[in-house]
Amino acid sequence: MESLKNENEKHSLNIPSFFPLAPFNFPAMVPLWMFPLACVAGNSFVLKPSEKTPGASMMLADLATKAGLPEGVLSIVHGGKQTVDNICRHPTVKAISFVGSNQAGEYIHEEGSRHGKRVQANLGAKNHACLLPDAGREATVNAIVGAAFGAAGQRCMALSTLVAVGETKDWIQDIVEGGKKLKVGCGFDAGVDVGPLISTQSQERVFSIIDKAVKDGAQIPLDGRANGKVDGYPHGNFVHPTVLSNVSTDNIAYREEIFGPVLVCTEPVDTLDDAIQLINANPYGNGVALFTASGAAARKFTHEIHAGQVGINVPIPVPLPMFSFTGNKASIRGDFNFYGPRGVHFYTQLKTVTTNWPIDDSTSLGGVIMPQMGKNT
Amino acid sequence: MESLKNENEKHSLNIPSFFPLAPFNFPAMVPLWMFPLACVAGNSFVLKPSEKTPGASMMLADLATKAGLPEGVLSIVHGGKQTVDNICRHPTVKAISFVGSNQAGEYIHEEGSRHGKRVQANLGAKNHACLLPDAGREATVNAIVGAAFGAAGQRCMALSTLVAVGETKDWIQDIVEGGKKLKVGCGFDAGVDVGPLISTQSQERVFSIIDKAVKDGAQIPLDGRANGKVDGYPHGNFVHPTVLSNVSTDNIAYREEIFGPVLVCTEPVDTLDDAIQLINANPYGNGVALFTASGAAARKFTHEIHAGQVGINVPIPVPLPMFSFTGNKASIRGDFNFYGPRGVHFYTQLKTVTTNWPIDDSTSLGGVIMPQMGKNT
Amino acid sequence: MESLKNENEKHSLNIPSFFPLAPFNFPAMVPLWMFPLACVAGNSFVLKPSEKTPGASMMLADLATKAGLPEGVLSIVHGGKQTVDNICRHPTVKAISFVGSNQAGEYIHEEGSRHGKRVQANLGAKNHACLLPDAGREATVNAIVGAAFGAAGQRCMALSTLVAVGETKDWIQDIVEGGKKLKVGCGFDAGVDVGPLISTQSQERVFSIIDKAVKDGAQIPLDGRANGKVDGYPHGNFVHPTVLSNVSTDNIAYREEIFGPVLVCTEPVDTLDDAIQLINANPYGNGVALFTASGAAARKFTHEIHAGQVGINVPIPVPLPMFSFTGNKASIRGDFNFYGPRGVHFYTQLKTVTTNWPIDDSTSLGGVIMPQMGKNT
Amino acid sequence: MESLKNENEKHSLNIPSFFPLAPFNFPAMVPLWMFPLACVAGNSFVLKPSEKTPGASMMLADLATKAGLPEGVLSIVHGGKQTVDNICRHPTVKAISFVGSNQAGEYIHEEGSRHGKRVQANLGAKNHACLLPDAGREATVNAIVGAAFGAAGQRCMALSTLVAVGETKDWIQDIVEGGKKLKVGCGFDAGVDVGPLISTQSQERVFSIIDKAVKDGAQIPLDGRANGKVDGYPHGNFVHPTVLSNVSTDNIAYREEIFGPVLVCTEPVDTLDDAIQLINANPYGNGVALFTASGAAARKFTHEIHAGQVGINVPIPVPLPMFSFTGNKASIRGDFNFYGPRGVHFYTQLKTVTTNWPIDDSTSLGGVIMPQMGKNT
């Protein structure tokens, strides 16, 4: 087609409707990853919050309305499994964003995809910290205490696993001391560092994992089960900071995402290479952190590790909004990551436009074009 | 964390292994959408060609080897359903590219996703041409004759459906005349315009669809069934150019992808708006073309139409390699499109790296950071 | 250097200080092209407004201070030639932005460059409208009346020159009628369309150009000199809408930027090609507009015309803020255009960083590397 | 203009003609920075090589012709000052690329700009290496020996100045020993590390600078003047590797670009901050290198240093082709850097296109639009 001047353009257009499912632990942040981008891209948005924490979504919707979001653009529904099924099957739903557990997320990805929806699902995690001896000891220990026990370990980016390289195995004792000093209690009370878990079932599950872990050979230099209840909150679902050490990779505490204030220290390793091998063998790939002063170690780790979020001396490396929250391995289903450039891609639909404007339409293209079998060009 | 200077970087890294499945009709082009990008991005690549056209893949692999591709980077396997299942389930396969039928593609997307693979699947199509009266009549008719009957209609971007706006319904007769002039025969013989279908089953299926379409009310101003066999090829799976007109949208000829040299003309419409509405209601969204001289009509159509590839006076708007081949609606599963920027994304894995290099590691970060509950910053 | 793993990064860093010079006609808009970007990029900024319109800058600085801009980041100086020289020579000034006349801008570009400053200077203009017969006549005429006489023609993007193709030469009479209907007066009075010029000198200069133009052969179907003074403003520097037609390209009215409400119509041409040739021969290249319904004509014009801003059915095609205000030919000095991506480039300094982190610094790179004469790699 | 749907597009179009001026020391590389990009962007290109090294350009042109470059696209002229003046003033020349000395480059930038040409000029340099004690000593010393004395120091990226921090002042002796081992001779002879200078004048100028430097207080632990001539080349313009130490910043050896195999070591400093301050005070800003194992030091240096090319453990940080060769301070005139993205910008001309396609041109835009004085929208 030599006589044609073609031009390609790309257009990103909106998906008419879309449906997110938000988790209990970040009931405001996670919806804010989603609906502002989705609505700015021209979609209407229906939000189904966790049935455990429906309040934050209602407040966000109220604020959005006050800020002038047109009626009908953002809606909220509450519900359980039947609601989820309706979302996955309804013909006007074009896309589904989900953050939560593996089981729910894999079901939604499969059911939604089968019904032609675009689905992104952020799932489970097991985030490792790798310690090198040249890191600043005090700063590193403080960072890990905060990242392992903060939010009572109930976040997908909690730094819940520690791989000590060489002499840094001695730093675990510092972490134990740091964990002991944290005050457990009601999150609304002054001076409290570690609040309760979301439910009694969660508390019981965490205790059960610790029990089994110790029974299967893990050491427990800091035992959060043994600590007393919190005064004034006899029914609080508290778990005190816990450190398990010398945990083998087949121990339940290593295999499962605990979602409580429990730091799992693997058997120490001798080299950075060993640590990278151990971490890469884990099925999850959400976040990871290396503590070091060395530019060379940082580059090697960054290049070789398989994880979506990599922190160098940053314990919880959640990307800034101009980047995307990237998952890897079993921590994600769907290709477009949350927020940032990939989030914009998720909430828009790509078109590619090719135009031909012959200068004189009255002069025909001259003969039938049969671009087959290599005989026409 | 006010004392931290953070920097985010994005790294695109390779997927260790990956598996495409190529269709019969473009046995060279479609693998070339895939393995060059995949291999340059650092992946090894296993290609399973259609069992109907395995030869082109073997030639491509031979050329790649001669060009210096290291041994083991590109492999070819042949096989059927069991091979596909193995691909979808094998742990070292990280991603699957597929181009072909809806049934196979949806199965592969579901089965591959369930086993944690990234899957992109280009599926069926029903590409509409929309004619406006201000288009150049002769050039437009020629373009449609070529795009509807070329490659015997056996391409996912065949322009197989026509929506005539206003007086352009009279142009259908010109297309009929154009179709009559095409020479049907063996593709290797000189002067042949339209070759045979891929198999006797395909031929029979196309005849069957035409039969039912006419029975259900479609007119047939050009009947490719009535034409004689091709001399010298008594067993050739030939279908001669066929035009169906006044085809309602519930007619089987409109609902199914025919994959033969059959142009389906819908009932004529009065306005561009009517045409857009008709086209957008079709479940497929692969390609679409508008023929017009008007900049205003082109912009309106481009903005409002739901299709991955939009051509303005371009009958088969396959994007150039710096763009991506974009699908829409039921024509695609998976988020990353083929080749171009989205193809690079498909064959690489995103990492986001956040680094903190405190100038003096001996000065600790000062106290435990507990970024929970709004009490710490 | 085969053993090295290198990585390049680009850093855009700020210029410590910077100095704009703003014109009289957009005393608020033009500084707003500059200082918000410059300050956000980390620079301090000194603004020298036109001595004819210093007030708007003072208001902007006041608003910026109220909005929280730190003290010392935005300063304003007033002055004439000596101030300009100081700006061009002072060692802490790193960059100069200027919008205004050719004479001043060329001097500032030369003097600033000689002293090592980065300089961008938007200079004179002569913006052509090209009319094709397929354009909507009424809409086009209205657009030109507004763009030629609005702001009394005192803007660098005024559509001050008209090239009629074919029968559109008859549309000039419509423009004359449109110009007659405009109300000239004080800009603060209700219903006024065309205000006064900036000074008596400007008024006299415009009258003088019209006089010479007519003397040298131009026709004057609408004579703004002959119109009466404006009641109540005996000393106003008014020029009423004026249309000159059949103006040859060597007439002073075509060669000079008039900066008054005077539309210069060239001798009509027969084809779009003729119009493009005429416009491209003009030394200026600020803006240009084509009026047409044809996608093909729009593409041809867009590709072949030499101008920074191209409008298709847009009389004053000032780019939106995500694009840059681009000049061409004698309408600009300096490479980085104003605002948009190029504006960000102007106010930042590029660094390219290449890093090598050998995994073991104790193992040397092995031998002296002498990358000369082709003997080392 | 509420009824208008506008779209902006950016077009990068070519400059019709263009003229580079290449230096003697990289007679092939520097033209290859230029003409491939320029010609691919659609320009014709006239190359004027240094009158000292005209041969490489002739070979390049010959190769380009053999490769199929159309006749007239690449031309070569030879000449001196008069030729340069013609280039700077000829109306069909649209842009000039220059790499060479400050004096010539500043003249060309000024003269070319005055005649409306786009000019980019890469000028002088004084590249500093900064040594930190945690760097690998042997690797660092080897890197500096190669980068300071390689190509006999005749390159704009030679690492000609050394700033030793703390105890690394003792490493200078290692560099002296390394320099002693280099073999000086004819570049075509086996085993030669350091060739002659380009001319007798250059040799005499370097000797003269060394003489003055020592007279003004510099120490000279390695004296390249004292070394014997090179056997077999009695008239060779050789200068043997020379190290000057304790050179104050007002010494001629620090102030001038020597362009010979002379390493100038400043008075040692105590901290990285001191080193950064010293380097930033230098008027040139071409390249700089830091040697360290510390990620934190690398980040601080990268952020705070003012230089176009920054190397971390890379002695000659010339950017790869996907980046641009960036200058800073007095090392560059003109805004667009050489090669890479900025090189593409230099050889193309930006247009911004705004289009309005009213759906029905017969419905006018309704009334004259007078976008002035805030009364119309």
PDB file of all heavy atoms in Angstrom, chain B residues 35-61:
ATOM      1  N   PHE B  35       8.090 -14.103  19.750  1.00  0.00           N
ATOM      2  CA  PHE B  35       9.368 -14.555  20.292  1.00  0.00           C
ATOM      3  C   PHE B  35      10.505 -13.550  20.168  1.00  0.00           C
ATOM      4  O   PHE B  35      11.363 -13.526  21.066  1.00  0.00           O
ATOM      5  CB  PHE B  35       9.738 -15.957  19.772  1.00  0.00           C
ATOM      6  CG  PHE B  35      10.315 -16.037  18.384  1.00  0.00           C
ATOM      7  CD1 PHE B  35      11.651 -15.722  18.142  1.00  0.00           C
ATOM      8  CD2 PHE B  35       9.531 -16.460  17.324  1.00  0.00           C
ATOM      9  CE1 PHE B  35      12.178 -15.824  16.871  1.00  0.00           C
ATOM     10  CE2 PHE B  35      10.061 -16.550  16.052  1.00  0.00           C
ATOM     11  CZ  PHE B  35      11.382 -16.229  15.822  1.00  0.00           C
ATOM     12  N   PRO B  36      10.532 -12.686  19.148  1.00  0.00           N
ATOM     13  CA  PRO B  36      11.647 -11.719  19.163  1.00  0.00           C
ATOM     14  C   PRO B  36      11.609 -10.823  20.401  1.00  0.00           C
ATOM     15  O   PRO B  36      12.610 -10.661  21.089  1.00  0.00           O
ATOM     16  CB  PRO B  36      11.440 -10.929  17.865  1.00  0.00           C
ATOM     17  CG  PRO B  36      10.678 -11.857  16.965  1.00  0.00           C
ATOM     18  CD  PRO B  36       9.757 -12.605  17.895  1.00  0.00           C
ATOM     19  N   LEU B  37      10.443 -10.268  20.704  1.00  0.00           N
ATOM     20  CA  LEU B  37      10.324  -9.441  21.905  1.00  0.00           C
ATOM     21  C   LEU B  37      10.639 -10.245  23.163  1.00  0.00           C
ATOM     22  O   LEU B  37      11.356  -9.783  24.050  1.00  0.00           O
ATOM     23  CB  LEU B  37       8.894  -8.899  22.018  1.00  0.00           C
ATOM     24  CG  LEU B  37       8.631  -7.476  21.567  1.00  0.00           C
ATOM     25  CD1 LEU B  37       7.209  -7.083  21.918  1.00  0.00           C
ATOM     26  CD2 LEU B  37       9.593  -6.498  22.220  1.00  0.00           C
ATOM     27  N   ALA B  38      10.062 -11.440  23.249  1.00  0.00           N
ATOM     28  CA  ALA B  38      10.235 -12.248  24.460  1.00  0.00           C
ATOM     29  C   ALA B  38      11.703 -12.574  24.685  1.00  0.00           C
ATOM     30  O   ALA B  38      12.212 -12.470  25.806  1.00  0.00           O
ATOM     31  CB  ALA B  38       9.398 -13.529  24.369  1.00  0.00           C
ATOM     32  N   CYS B  39      12.389 -12.974  23.622  1.00  0.00           N
ATOM     33  CA  CYS B  39      13.784 -13.394  23.779  1.00  0.00           C
ATOM     34  C   CYS B  39      14.688 -12.198  24.050  1.00  0.00           C
ATOM     35  O   CYS B  39      15.597 -12.267  24.881  1.00  0.00           O
ATOM     36  CB  CYS B  39      14.249 -14.177  22.554  1.00  0.00           C
ATOM     37  SG  CYS B  39      13.369 -15.747  22.357  1.00  0.00           S
ATOM     38  N   VAL B  40      14.451 -11.084  23.377  1.00  0.00           N
ATOM     39  CA  VAL B  40      15.246  -9.893  23.642  1.00  0.00           C
ATOM     40  C   VAL B  40      15.062  -9.449  25.088  1.00  0.00           C
ATOM     41  O   VAL B  40      15.987  -8.929  25.716  1.00  0.00           O
ATOM     42  CB  VAL B  40      14.845  -8.773  22.650  1.00  0.00           C
ATOM     43  CG1 VAL B  40      15.300  -7.414  23.143  1.00  0.00           C
ATOM     44  CG2 VAL B  40      15.444  -9.060  21.281  1.00  0.00           C
ATOM     45  N   ALA B  41      13.890  -9.691  25.649  1.00  0.00           N
ATOM     46  CA  ALA B  41      13.643  -9.316  27.043  1.00  0.00           C
ATOM     47  C   ALA B  41      14.260 -10.318  28.012  1.00  0.00           C
ATOM     48  O   ALA B  41      14.129 -10.166  29.222  1.00  0.00           O
ATOM     49  CB  ALA B  41      12.143  -9.200  27.296  1.00  0.00           C
ATOM     50  N   GLY B  42      14.923 -11.342  27.503  1.00  0.00           N
ATOM     51  CA  GLY B  42      15.668 -12.240  28.387  1.00  0.00           C
ATOM     52  C   GLY B  42      14.980 -13.549  28.710  1.00  0.00           C
ATOM     53  O   GLY B  42      15.451 -14.298  29.560  1.00  0.00           O
ATOM     54  N   ASN B  43      13.885 -13.853  28.062  1.00  0.00           N
ATOM     55  CA  ASN B  43      13.163 -15.080  28.339  1.00  0.00           C
ATOM     56  C   ASN B  43      13.589 -16.197  27.389  1.00  0.00           C
ATOM     57  O   ASN B  43      13.985 -15.949  26.255  1.00  0.00           O
ATOM     58  CB  ASN B  43      11.657 -14.861  28.133  1.00  0.00           C
ATOM     59  CG  ASN B  43      11.129 -13.717  28.956  1.00  0.00           C
ATOM     60  OD1 ASN B  43      11.011 -13.820  30.159  1.00  0.00           O
ATOM     61  ND2 ASN B  43      10.840 -12.592  28.303  1.00  0.00           N
ATOM     62  N   SER B  44      13.456 -17.432  27.842  1.00  0.00           N
ATOM     63  CA  SER B  44      13.456 -18.538  26.898  1.00  0.00           C
ATOM     64  C   SER B  44      12.015 -18.743  26.454  1.00  0.00           C
ATOM     65  O   SER B  44      11.074 -18.347  27.143  1.00  0.00           O
ATOM     66  CB  SER B  44      14.019 -19.803  27.540  1.00  0.00           C
ATOM     67  OG  SER B  44      13.210 -20.192  28.626  1.00  0.00           O
ATOM     68  N   PHE B  45      11.840 -19.357  25.301  1.00  0.00           N
ATOM     69  CA  PHE B  45      10.543 -19.318  24.628  1.00  0.00           C
ATOM     70  C   PHE B  45      10.267 -20.675  23.980  1.00  0.00           C
ATOM     71  O   PHE B  45      11.111 -21.199  23.247  1.00  0.00           O
ATOM     72  CB  PHE B  45      10.632 -18.219  23.562  1.00  0.00           C
ATOM     73  CG  PHE B  45       9.343 -17.865  22.896  1.00  0.00           C
ATOM     74  CD1 PHE B  45       8.593 -16.801  23.343  1.00  0.00           C
ATOM     75  CD2 PHE B  45       8.892 -18.586  21.804  1.00  0.00           C
ATOM     76  CE1 PHE B  45       7.422 -16.448  22.717  1.00  0.00           C
ATOM     77  CE2 PHE B  45       7.709 -18.246  21.175  1.00  0.00           C
ATOM     78  CZ  PHE B  45       6.968 -17.169  21.635  1.00  0.00           C
ATOM     79  N   VAL B  46       9.105 -21.240  24.260  1.00  0.00           N
ATOM     80  CA  VAL B  46       8.710 -22.508  23.648  1.00  0.00           C
ATOM     81  C   VAL B  46       7.481 -22.244  22.790  1.00  0.00           C
ATOM     82  O   VAL B  46       6.464 -21.755  23.278  1.00  0.00           O
ATOM     83  CB  VAL B  46       8.399 -23.564  24.731  1.00  0.00           C
ATOM     84  CG1 VAL B  46       8.101 -24.897  24.069  1.00  0.00           C
ATOM     85  CG2 VAL B  46       9.563 -23.690  25.689  1.00  0.00           C
ATOM     86  N   LEU B  47       7.575 -22.554  21.515  1.00  0.00           N
ATOM     87  CA  LEU B  47       6.520 -22.240  20.549  1.00  0.00           C
ATOM     88  C   LEU B  47       5.768 -23.505  20.160  1.00  0.00           C
ATOM     89  O   LEU B  47       6.369 -24.499  19.767  1.00  0.00           O
ATOM     90  CB  LEU B  47       7.193 -21.621  19.311  1.00  0.00           C
ATOM     91  CG  LEU B  47       6.341 -21.309  18.091  1.00  0.00           C
ATOM     92  CD1 LEU B  47       5.282 -20.271  18.403  1.00  0.00           C
ATOM     93  CD2 LEU B  47       7.234 -20.780  16.959  1.00  0.00           C
ATOM     94  N   LYS B  48       4.435 -23.473  20.311  1.00  0.00           N
ATOM     95  CA  LYS B  48       3.619 -24.587  19.852  1.00  0.00           C
ATOM     96  C   LYS B  48       2.766 -24.112  18.694  1.00  0.00           C
ATOM     97  O   LYS B  48       1.750 -23.444  18.889  1.00  0.00           O
ATOM     98  CB  LYS B  48       2.706 -25.110  20.969  1.00  0.00           C
ATOM     99  CG  LYS B  48       2.096 -26.491  20.629  1.00  0.00           C
ATOM    100  CD  LYS B  48       0.771 -26.736  21.302  1.00  0.00           C
ATOM    101  CE  LYS B  48      -0.417 -26.273  20.492  1.00  0.00           C
ATOM    102  NZ  LYS B  48      -0.550 -26.718  19.115  1.00  0.00           N
ATOM    103  N   PRO B  49       3.143 -24.431  17.459  1.00  0.00           N
ATOM    104  CA  PRO B  49       2.348 -23.983  16.319  1.00  0.00           C
ATOM    105  C   PRO B  49       1.046 -24.765  16.211  1.00  0.00           C
ATOM    106  O   PRO B  49       0.880 -25.829  16.814  1.00  0.00           O
ATOM    107  CB  PRO B  49       3.261 -24.274  15.127  1.00  0.00           C
ATOM    108  CG  PRO B  49       4.159 -25.373  15.580  1.00  0.00           C
ATOM    109  CD  PRO B  49       4.314 -25.225  17.070  1.00  0.00           C
ATOM    110  N   SER B  50       0.130 -24.208  15.422  1.00  0.00           N
ATOM    111  CA  SER B  50      -1.078 -24.959  15.081  1.00  0.00           C
ATOM    112  C   SER B  50      -0.673 -26.281  14.448  1.00  0.00           C
ATOM    113  O   SER B  50       0.258 -26.350  13.641  1.00  0.00           O
ATOM    114  CB  SER B  50      -1.910 -24.157  14.084  1.00  0.00           C
ATOM    115  OG  SER B  50      -2.906 -24.992  13.504  1.00  0.00           O
ATOM    116  N   GLU B  51      -1.394 -27.352  14.796  1.00  0.00           N
ATOM    117  CA  GLU B  51      -1.058 -28.649  14.208  1.00  0.00           C
ATOM    118  C   GLU B  51      -1.371 -28.665  12.714  1.00  0.00           C
ATOM    119  O   GLU B  51      -0.919 -29.545  11.977  1.00  0.00           O
ATOM    120  CB  GLU B  51      -1.766 -29.794  14.957  1.00  0.00           C
ATOM    121  CG  GLU B  51      -3.263 -29.694  15.036  1.00  0.00           C
ATOM    122  CD  GLU B  51      -3.743 -28.936  16.277  1.00  0.00           C
ATOM    123  OE1 GLU B  51      -3.103 -27.925  16.658  1.00  0.00           O
ATOM    124  OE2 GLU B  51      -4.759 -29.337  16.870  1.00  0.00           O
ATOM    125  N   LYS B  52      -2.124 -27.643  12.216  1.00  0.00           N
ATOM    126  CA  LYS B  52      -2.430 -27.584  10.785  1.00  0.00           C
ATOM    127  C   LYS B  52      -1.314 -26.920   9.975  1.00  0.00           C
ATOM    128  O   LYS B  52      -1.224 -27.108   8.766  1.00  0.00           O
ATOM    129  CB  LYS B  52      -3.736 -26.813  10.564  1.00  0.00           C
ATOM    130  CG  LYS B  52      -4.945 -27.522  11.164  1.00  0.00           C
ATOM    131  CD  LYS B  52      -6.185 -26.652  11.062  1.00  0.00           C
ATOM    132  CE  LYS B  52      -7.316 -27.238  11.874  1.00  0.00           C
ATOM    133  NZ  LYS B  52      -8.266 -26.200  12.309  1.00  0.00           N
ATOM    134  N   THR B  53      -0.527 -26.074  10.617  1.00  0.00           N
ATOM    135  CA  THR B  53       0.515 -25.338   9.880  1.00  0.00           C
ATOM    136  C   THR B  53       1.809 -25.298  10.687  1.00  0.00           C
ATOM    137  O   THR B  53       2.272 -24.232  11.087  1.00  0.00           O
ATOM    138  CB  THR B  53       0.057 -23.886   9.600  1.00  0.00           C
ATOM    139  OG1 THR B  53      -0.291 -23.299  10.863  1.00  0.00           O
ATOM    140  CG2 THR B  53      -1.108 -23.830   8.661  1.00  0.00           C
ATOM    141  N   PRO B  54       2.408 -26.463  10.918  1.00  0.00           N
ATOM    142  CA  PRO B  54       3.613 -26.481  11.754  1.00  0.00           C
ATOM    143  C   PRO B  54       4.877 -26.023  11.037  1.00  0.00           C
ATOM    144  O   PRO B  54       5.882 -25.717  11.683  1.00  0.00           O
ATOM    145  CB  PRO B  54       3.724 -27.955  12.162  1.00  0.00           C
ATOM    146  CG  PRO B  54       3.073 -28.699  11.041  1.00  0.00           C
ATOM    147  CD  PRO B  54       1.986 -27.809  10.518  1.00  0.00           C
ATOM    148  N   GLY B  55       4.841 -25.950   9.723  1.00  0.00           N
ATOM    149  CA  GLY B  55       6.080 -25.746   8.979  1.00  0.00           C
ATOM    150  C   GLY B  55       6.730 -24.387   9.177  1.00  0.00           C
ATOM    151  O   GLY B  55       7.948 -24.282   9.314  1.00  0.00           O
ATOM    152  N   ALA B  56       5.910 -23.334   9.199  1.00  0.00           N
ATOM    153  CA  ALA B  56       6.487 -21.994   9.282  1.00  0.00           C
ATOM    154  C   ALA B  56       7.296 -21.823  10.560  1.00  0.00           C
ATOM    155  O   ALA B  56       8.362 -21.193  10.556  1.00  0.00           O
ATOM    156  CB  ALA B  56       5.373 -20.952   9.214  1.00  0.00           C
ATOM    157  N   SER B  57       6.805 -22.378  11.657  1.00  0.00           N
ATOM    158  CA  SER B  57       7.540 -22.260  12.913  1.00  0.00           C
ATOM    159  C   SER B  57       8.907 -22.911  12.818  1.00  0.00           C
ATOM    160  O   SER B  57       9.902 -22.385  13.347  1.00  0.00           O
ATOM    161  CB  SER B  57       6.749 -22.906  14.055  1.00  0.00           C
ATOM    162  OG  SER B  57       5.598 -22.159  14.336  1.00  0.00           O
ATOM    163  N   MET B  58       8.961 -24.063  12.153  1.00  0.00           N
ATOM    164  CA  MET B  58      10.246 -24.739  12.009  1.00  0.00           C
ATOM    165  C   MET B  58      11.225 -23.876  11.214  1.00  0.00           C
ATOM    166  O   MET B  58      12.401 -23.782  11.543  1.00  0.00           O
ATOM    167  CB  MET B  58      10.062 -26.092  11.311  1.00  0.00           C
ATOM    168  CG  MET B  58       9.078 -27.031  12.010  1.00  0.00           C
ATOM    169  SD  MET B  58       9.493 -27.388  13.727  1.00  0.00           S
ATOM    170  CE  MET B  58      10.893 -28.490  13.480  1.00  0.00           C
ATOM    171  N   MET B  59      10.709 -23.230  10.163  1.00  0.00           N
ATOM    172  CA  MET B  59      11.581 -22.360   9.370  1.00  0.00           C
ATOM    173  C   MET B  59      12.069 -21.167  10.191  1.00  0.00           C
ATOM    174  O   MET B  59      13.237 -20.773  10.125  1.00  0.00           O
ATOM    175  CB  MET B  59      10.822 -21.848   8.146  1.00  0.00           C
ATOM    176  CG  MET B  59      10.574 -22.913   7.096  1.00  0.00           C
ATOM    177  SD  MET B  59       9.790 -22.166   5.630  1.00  0.00           S
ATOM    178  CE  MET B  59       8.375 -23.230   5.443  1.00  0.00           C
ATOM    179  N   LEU B  60      11.166 -20.587  10.970  1.00  0.00           N
ATOM    180  CA  LEU B  60      11.558 -19.437  11.793  1.00  0.00           C
ATOM    181  C   LEU B  60      12.641 -19.835  12.794  1.00  0.00           C
ATOM    182  O   LEU B  60      13.610 -19.092  13.012  1.00  0.00           O
ATOM    183  CB  LEU B  60      10.342 -18.889  12.544  1.00  0.00           C
ATOM    184  CG  LEU B  60       9.321 -18.146  11.697  1.00  0.00           C
ATOM    185  CD1 LEU B  60       8.092 -17.812  12.544  1.00  0.00           C
ATOM    186  CD2 LEU B  60       9.908 -16.857  11.126  1.00  0.00           C
ATOM    187  N   ALA B  61      12.459 -20.984  13.420  1.00  0.00           N
ATOM    188  CA  ALA B  61      13.446 -21.429  14.400  1.00  0.00           C
ATOM    189  C   ALA B  61      14.788 -21.666  13.737  1.00  0.00           C
ATOM    190  O   ALA B  61      15.853 -21.337  14.289  1.00  0.00           O
ATOM    191  CB  ALA B  61      12.955 -22.698  15.091  1.00  0.00           C
TER     192      ALA B  61
END
